């Protein structure tokens, strides 16, 4: 990571952790998910357990109460996966279904 006024070490740790998750848990299976037209719920559950879902929401509601830079990192890493069905599924859950 280059010096940035926007990113700190925690942001980079979040990015690294999410990138590792996607490389290990998504990339090996995503082509089959794209073919089948669905992402298994278990993947979304794992993402939630690891704190990748609900990152903008207060802890009292089960979120991580993180800043918008984390949301940007989240979207960048989802897009980096290159699997549109996976990305759309996750973003529907995080950006369409859960906001109030």
């Amino acid at each position: 990571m280059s010096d940035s006024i926007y990113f700190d070490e925690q942001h980079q740790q979040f990015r690294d952790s999410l990138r590792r998750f996607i490389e290990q848990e998504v990339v090996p299976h995503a082509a089959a998910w794209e073919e089948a037209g669905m992402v298994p719920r278990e993947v979304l559950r794992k993402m939630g357990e690891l704190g990748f879902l609900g990152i903008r929401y207060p802890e009292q509601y089960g979120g991580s109460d993180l800043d918008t830079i984390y949301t940007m990192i989240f979207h960048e890493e989802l897009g980096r996966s290159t699997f549109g069905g996976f990305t759309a599924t996750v973003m529907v859950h995080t950006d369409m279904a859960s906001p109030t």
Side-chain angles (χ1 to χ4, degrees), residues 3-69:
D3 292 333
S4 171
I5 61 171
Y6 303 107
F7 297 104
D8 61 26
E9 184 62 31
Q10 288 81 20
H11 290 118
Q12 189 60 43
Q13 289 172 356
F14 178 80
R15 182 186 298 280
D16 292 344
S17 181
L18 180 57
R19 185 173 290 183
R20 198 168 34 255
F21 176 84
I22 290 171
E23 288 172 356
Q24 294 173 358
E25 302 289 334
V26 176
V27 171
H29 311 287
W33 301 340
E34 299 279 310
E35 179 82 19
M38 66 171 291
V39 175
R41 287 185 186 197
E42 183 58 31
V43 174
L44 299 172
R45 284 188 190 105
K46 284 182 183 179
M47 291 183 79
E49 289 168 4
L50 293 170
F52 296 136
L53 305 181
I55 58 179
R56 293 182 310 229
Y57 303 111
E59 289 181 27
Q60 72 189 60
Y61 299 114
S64 301
D65 202 19
L66 299 172
D67 64 40
T68 54
I69 298 295

